[in-house]
Amino acid sequence: MPLRHLLKHPGFTFIAALTLALGIGANTAIFSVVQAVLLKPLPYPEPDRIVTAWSHSLRSGGRYSLSSPDFRDLHEQSSGSFEALAAFSHRPSAVSVGRAAERVGVVVVTEDYFRALGVPLRAGRTFTVEEWSAGGVAVVSERFARRHFAGDSTQVLGATVRYEGHALVIVGIMPAGFLHPEEESEIWTPLETAEFAAGNRSAHNYQTVGRLRAAVPPGRAAAELAEIGARLRAAYPDTNANKGLALLPLHEQLVGNHRAT
């Protein structure tokens, strides 16, 4: 009976089928986005322990990156909250491999960057103690290695790329899908010690990433950051009078702008 009714009213049947198709398609698309953006765990070991630190305005509540002196004080004064804490800066730039040149995302990082994220390299290694100070080395993305060397790690490791007049020897390759801090990031290299030391407290140039110790809840680390921020306000009123330090889980930072949408 219902089938005969549908066959007798093809217009109604078509509209009903189209409505169902659109509804199912829309719900599937929305769920796919929610799954990818909000529900899917970040591709790092124990991602709930990975956090970011920020300066924030006590008047407006605005959040912004840290200055290098504020980061150094945070690194030195945090008493055991972090297993690793690093600063980094994303700097798209022209890079050349042999005669091929292109603009790619270069990320300059301080020590503990790779330890904070905890992602094992696909091939090679990160930087030695001497290389963290002297520079001259790089870790590249799997996408960069595939594009320039057909993904052959024997050709990639030991090869040289040129970045802002510097020759960087490739010592490691990140795994496929590694997208920190931005999707187009393809080269990671040590942040020059002299540049980082020369920063001033008014220049908020560096983002941070940290891994909390296993027994430290985010609330306790956030309270410690607030205390350090208060000490910096007292010690440096000219630059820090109206700013504090805040903690944000990495997942919250990445999806915060999409959650409401």
Side-chain angles (χ1 to χ4, degrees), residues 69-202:
D70 282 353
F71 173 81
R72 291 198 302 271
D73 286 335
L74 169 61
H75 193 274
E76 293 170 2
Q77 295 182 32
S78 56
S79 57
S81 289
F82 297 97
E83 185 175 293
L85 181 65
F88 64 91
S89 178
H90 186 246
R91 300 175 181 177
S93 182
V95 170
S96 60
V97 181
R99 294 184 177 180
E102 62 177 335
R103 187 173 178 82
V104 302
V106 178
V107 187
V108 294
V109 300
T110 64
E111 291 185 59
D112 280 346
Y113 174 84
F114 297 104
R115 196 156 69 93
L117 294 172
V119 177
L121 273 65
R122 195 202 90 186
R125 59 174 175 82
T126 56
F127 311 134
T128 65
V129 173
E130 294 77 18
E131 289 168 346
W132 278 113
S133 300
V137 287
V139 168
V140 301
S141 70
E142 190 272 343
R143 185 172 60 235
F144 185 91
R146 187 174 63 248
R147 192 166 65 249
H148 290 282
F149 303 94
D152 184 350
S153 59
T154 61
Q155 294 185 38
V156 181
L157 301 178
T160 299
V161 300
R162 296 199 68 84
Y163 158 66
E164 294 189 346
H166 301 288
L168 306 178
V169 177
I170 300 174
V171 298
I173 308 171
M174 295 306 294
F178 182 79
L179 300 176
H180 191 269
E182 297 182 22
E183 186 171 353
E184 66 270 22
S185 301
E186 299 204 84
I187 295 177
W188 292 262
T189 189
L191 174 58
E192 292 184 9
T193 303
E195 175 194 339
F196 198 58
N200 64 73
R201 292 187 188 274
S202 298

Side-chain angles (χ1 to χ4, degrees), residues 37 39-48 50 249-252 254-255:
V37 175
L39 304 180
K40 186 178 179 180
L42 298 176
Y44 312 114
E46 299 181 278
D48 291 346
I50 303 178
L250 180 61
H251 187 269
E252 181 67 26
L254 295 178
V255 308

